[in-house]
Amino acid sequence: MNTTSLIVTDAQPLIDLADVDELDTLLSLAPDIRILIPDMVRHALLSHIDIPGVPDALEWIRTNDGHGVSVQCTEEFEEFIVLKRRHSDEVERHQNEQAAGEILGRELARGTEAIVLLIGDAEAEHASVLSNLPERVVPMSTSAYLQGLRSKQRQFKVGALLQRVLALGRPTAS
């Protein structure tokens, strides 16, 4: 069973792709790719509805939910809701990434063969966080994704893209 999952680690990649009208390209990467969006990321989008691109990203999620896109429930989001009710001003900053990490753990345990972590460009600069991932997990920034789209004229497959990213090597901590 050849399975590939793409986990969106933050709201920014969805906003960026919506801004350039490229969200649908995620669905065309491979016929059986699963695009997993943590509930924490969806909440972040809902919390910033006034930002350009956010309404389009939310509409894309609604339209494609169950058709290659899935919003995944996480304990991280449940804890966030409880903490927010108790201490509305004390919300941790990196909860989107923690929720994505929770989903990554489930995908690894499930035996998913290849996992792409779609991360925001700012997060991609923190190489030490991404350096100890298993070989079947490939981090990809939004700009690298868009660059891949342009260079392959939208006719690439996940396997080829994963091979290309793996060939470039993983970022290492300096």
Side-chain angles (χ1 to χ4, degrees), residues 84-149:
K84 187 171 181 174
R85 285 190 181 145
R86 291 184 185 160
H87 311 284
S88 62
D89 57 342
E90 296 180 24
V91 177
E92 190 174 324
R93 216 176 137 232
H94 299 287
Q95 289 175 305
N96 290 332
E97 291 87 359
Q98 291 172 352
E102 191 177 320
I103 294 168
L104 173 61
R106 288 196 304 240
E107 288 298 296
L108 289 169
R110 163 178 195 270
T112 301
E113 294 176 14
I115 302 168
V116 178
L117 297 176
L118 185 60
I119 57 178
D121 293 333
E123 289 77 22
E125 294 177 13
H126 304 292
S128 62
V129 174
L130 304 172
S131 62
N132 295 321
L133 295 171
E135 281 299 313
R136 62 184 165 152
V137 180
V138 179
M140 184 184 322
S141 69
T142 311
S143 61
Y145 175 78
L146 290 170
Q147 194 172 24
L149 281 176

Side-chain angles (χ1 to χ4, degrees), residues 37-44 71-74 77-78 99 103:
I37 301 171
D39 47 6
M40 192 74 217
V41 170
R42 184 174 179 279
H43 175 75
V71 176
Q72 299 283 298
C73 295
T74 63
F77 182 64
E78 292 170 6
I103 294 168

Side-chain angles (χ1 to χ4, degrees), residues 5-6 13-14 16 19 27 29 33 40-41 46 49 51 58 65-66 68 74 84-85 96 100 114 126 129 148 154 168:
S5 295
L6 183 142
L14 294 174
D16 292 344
D19 280 343
L27 295 168
L29 289 173
I33 192 166
M40 192 74 217
V41 170
L46 289 166
I49 195 72
I51 294 175
L58 287 167
D65 190 22
T74 63
K84 187 171 181 174
R85 285 190 181 145
N96 290 332
H126 304 292
V129 174
R154 301 178 192 238
L168 294 174

